């Protein structure tokens, strides 16, 4: 089965209403101009005949020819229908024109957007990284044009905060961007001028470069903070220039940028939108929710705080079980359930995280297919070469069943990084299975109803014991 065969449920394109999808056959048979957008503010302009019936597979040949992408690595990219409300990777058999005409149906089904927002939303067709393309294969790419497309996409995800990263990462990546786009060996004055002209937000994540803003930021000296960020960027750039030399090949720098991004466990994820319950801090704060993005890739699932730009929970497939439930009554939500191992007062427990989202069905299908792909790839690797004992055990855990059950999952350990989990900020359901019954654990009351709790938790940030970073 090909990776893009499960980008979203089959009936999302085949069984939806055909509202607005029928146009004049004479109009659709004529040559039509089509724009395929790329990251980096560029696009491929094509003239297509039979637009109403052309498939993604047919369109892909024209785009690869226009971009000079070798057929040997054609699977690295896929077509996506995107808007601020929804992103969907398309299958080779899909017909983009018809899906565009059905876009509002998809928004009603998979988003909580208002009728006004839905009526004004328009999708665009984008050519970008295939979620199901492995990082190990990406490391073998030497074609500069392909590497630059991957770089532009990764850079966009870094700058927008979709890929949360620590200062050592965004400093290094910002300096590499500067070297890739302006070359190595620039003089200090020229370098400073370039940064000021392009602005820090062209090289560093927006929430870092721009800060929180407001009066308090102004009083504390926003200009001095900007100067410090510029200085750090300059120093990192000089290190790169010294090690690479002024004649450094662009391909080498592109590889370096992508390799750094590969250290982020959610690199290459498909992203979905949802909400989770906030931890209860008082009777007046019950029922509040926090917006999250859920990244899913071939390695695991990552729940990220939209506002704070950090990971709330990161789990490999061997560390989780999952399920998807439909609303039982009007007003209820679709829910993606993530189950993982944790601790309560020294007692091993199972924890359940509820993610409320109309995209729960998409996420569940995505996880299931990623697990299947992972099992297939591991079986193929085991056939080619004998695995180490530890690797064999890990493979057995992943493939023991569809939902990753079969033995206790790896416990989480405490860490401190935006890349690592923050279980203390999650409102989870804890329970234990003693072999006779499943017993839910109620958290101990930390304070009297009449006294304000000083601290909400004694947990530190956590991470999977086998490391959340993907190799």
């Amino acid at each position: 089965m090909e990776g893009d065969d499960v980008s979203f449920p089959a009936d999302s394109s085949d069984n939806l209403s055909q509202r607005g999808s029928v146009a004049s056959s004479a109009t659709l048979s004529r040559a039509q101009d089509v724009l395929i957008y790329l990251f980096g503010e560029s696009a491929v302009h094509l003239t297509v005949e039979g637009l109403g019936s052309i498939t993604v597979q047919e369109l892909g040949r024209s785009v690869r020819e226009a971009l000079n992408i070798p057929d040997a690595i054609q699977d690295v990219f896929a077509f996506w229908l995107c808007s601020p409300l929804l992103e969907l990777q398309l299958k080779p058999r899909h017909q983009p024109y018809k899906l565009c005409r059905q876009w509002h149906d998809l928004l009603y089904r998979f988003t909580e957007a208002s009728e006004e927002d839905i009526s004004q939303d328009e999708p665009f067709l984008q050519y970008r990284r295939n979620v199901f393309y492995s990082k190990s294969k990406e490391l073998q790419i030497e074609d500069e044009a392909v590497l630059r497309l991957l770089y532009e996409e990764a850079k966009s995800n870094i700058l927008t905060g979709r890929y949360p990263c620590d200062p050592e990462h965004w400093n290094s990546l910002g300096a590499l961007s500067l070297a890739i786009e302006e070359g190595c060996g620039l003089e200090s004055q020229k370098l400073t001028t370039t940064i000021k002209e392009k602005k820090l937000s062209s090289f560093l994540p927006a929430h870092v470069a721009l800060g929180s803003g407001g009066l308090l930021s102004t009083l504390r000296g926003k200009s001095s903070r900007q100067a410090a960020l510029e200085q750090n960027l300059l120093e990192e750039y000089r290190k790169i220039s010294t090690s690479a030399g002024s004649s450094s090949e662009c391909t080498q720098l592109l590889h370096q940028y992508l390799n750094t991004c590969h250290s982020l466990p959610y690199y290459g994820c498909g992203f979905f939108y949802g909400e989770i319950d906030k931890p209860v801090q008082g009777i007046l704060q019950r029922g509040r929710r926090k917006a999250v993005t859920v990244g899913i890739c071939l390695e695991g699932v990552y729940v990220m705080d939209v506002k704070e730009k950090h990971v709330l929970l990161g789990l490999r497939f061997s560390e989780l079980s999952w399920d998807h439930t439909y609303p039982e009554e009007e007003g209820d939500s679709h829910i993606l359930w993530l189950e993982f191992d944790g601790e309560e007062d020294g007692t091993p427990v199972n924890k359940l995280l509820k993610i409320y989202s109309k995209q729960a069905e998409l996420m569940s299908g995505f996880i299931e297919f990623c697990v299947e792909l992972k099992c297939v790839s591991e079986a193929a690797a085991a056939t080619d070469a004998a695995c180490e004992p530890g690797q064999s055990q890990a493979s057995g855990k992943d493939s023991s069943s569809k939902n990753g059950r079969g033995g206790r999952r790896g416990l989480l350990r405490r860490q401190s990084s935006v890349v690592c989990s923050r279980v203390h900020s999650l409102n989870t359901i804890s329970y234990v299975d003693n072999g006779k019954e499943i017993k839910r654990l109620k958290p101990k009351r930390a304070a009297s109803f009449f006294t304000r709790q000083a601290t909400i938790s004694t947990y530190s940030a956590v991470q999977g014991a086998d490391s959340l970073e993907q190799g």
Side-chain angles (χ1 to χ4, degrees), residues 218-281:
T218 303
L219 292 175
R220 289 182 175 178
K222 186 174 181 180
S223 59
S224 62
R225 181 177 176 278
Q226 294 276 326
L229 290 172
E230 288 181 13
Q231 186 60 36
N232 291 337
L233 189 61
L234 289 172
E235 290 176 2
E236 194 65 34
Y237 172 84
R238 292 191 186 101
K239 291 179 185 177
I240 293 171
S241 295
T242 301
S243 61
S246 58
S247 59
S248 175
E249 293 184 2
C250 187
T251 302
Q252 177 186 341
L253 295 173
L254 291 169
H255 269 299
Q256 196 172 341
Y257 190 99
L258 292 172
N259 287 346
T260 303
C261 288
H262 284 191
S263 67
L264 303 173
Y266 28 78
Y267 173 81
C269 278
F271 290 90
F272 304 86
Y273 303 101
E275 293 181 326
I276 61 173
D277 292 315
K278 286 187 175 182
V280 177
Q281 299 181 31

Side-chain angles (χ1 to χ4, degrees), residues 166-227:
D166 294 313
E168 61 267 26
H169 280 123
W170 45 253
N171 261 328
S172 174
L173 292 171
L176 282 168
S177 285
L178 194 53
I180 290 169
E181 296 169 18
E182 303 297 329
C184 293
L186 289 180
E187 296 179 357
S188 296
Q189 185 60 43
K190 173 65 174 174
L191 198 55
T192 303
T193 303
T194 299
I195 293 175
K196 291 187 180 299
E197 287 177 350
K198 289 196 169 184
K199 298 183 179 180
L200 275 175
S201 56
S202 298
F203 305 104
L204 302 179
H207 66 282
V208 173
L210 303 177
S212 58
L215 179 61
L216 186 59
S217 176
T218 303
L219 292 175
R220 289 182 175 178
K222 186 174 181 180
S223 59
S224 62
R225 181 177 176 278
Q226 294 276 326

Side-chain angles (χ1 to χ4, degrees), residues 46-58:
L46 299 176
T47 301
V48 177
E49 293 186 359
L51 179 62
S53 59
I54 194 169
T55 65
V56 163
Q57 189 170 19
E58 294 165 338

Side-chain angles (χ1 to χ4, degrees), residues 34-38 42-46 59 63 79 125-127:
V34 177
L35 282 178
I36 314 294
Y37 289 90
L38 309 171
S42 59
V44 177
H45 181 206
L46 299 176
L59 203 56
V63 172
F79 286 90
L125 195 58
Q126 190 170 41
Y127 195 62

Side-chain angles (χ1 to χ4, degrees), residues 293-430:
T293 55
V294 182
I296 303 172
C297 63
L298 292 174
E299 300 297 331
V301 180
Y302 303 90
V303 182
M304 291 171 253
D305 191 311
V306 170
K307 182 180 179 182
E308 300 297 332
K309 310 296 183 188
H310 60 217
V311 175
L312 295 169
L313 182 67
L315 298 167
R316 289 180 179 273
F317 293 126
S318 59
E319 298 172 321
L320 68 86
S321 300
W322 85 97
D323 200 0
H324 158 239
T325 54
Y326 294 90
E328 294 183 357
E329 299 178 1
E330 188 175 352
D332 288 351
S333 302
H334 289 262
I335 297 174
L336 179 72
W337 299 83
L338 297 181
E339 179 191 19
F340 57 98
D341 293 335
E343 245 181 37
E344 289 284 351
D345 298 321
T347 303
V349 299
N350 297 80
K351 286 182 173 288
L352 281 173
L353 177 66
K354 297 167 66 175
I355 302 175
Y356 305 92
S357 175
K358 274 193 171 183
Q359 297 176 18
E361 180 183 0
L362 294 176
M363 290 188 269
S364 180
F366 226 90
I367 293 172
E368 182 171 353
F369 191 72
C370 285
V371 170
E372 290 176 0
L373 273 183
K374 190 171 178 64
C375 290
V376 169
S377 63
E378 286 176 350
T383 302
D384 295 339
C387 292
E388 294 293 329
Q391 291 175 328
S392 298
Q393 293 170 8
S395 296
K397 275 186 180 181
D398 281 350
S399 58
S400 58
S401 72
K402 183 180 79 169
N403 284 6
R405 300 177 188 272
R408 189 143 185 92
R409 297 171 291 272
L411 287 176
L412 300 173
R413 72 165 182 264
R414 297 175 183 181
Q415 294 290 337
S416 55
S417 165
V418 300
V419 176
C420 302
S421 302
R422 285 164 171 73
V423 171
H424 64 280
S425 62
L426 296 176
N427 186 358
T428 58
I429 301 171
S430 298

Side-chain angles (χ1 to χ4, degrees), residues 69-88:
I69 295 176
D71 287 340
I73 52 176
Q74 60 178 300
D75 291 338
V76 69
F77 297 111
F79 286 90
W80 292 68
L81 269 185
C82 304
S83 82
L85 301 180
L86 185 63
E87 299 177 359
L88 295 174

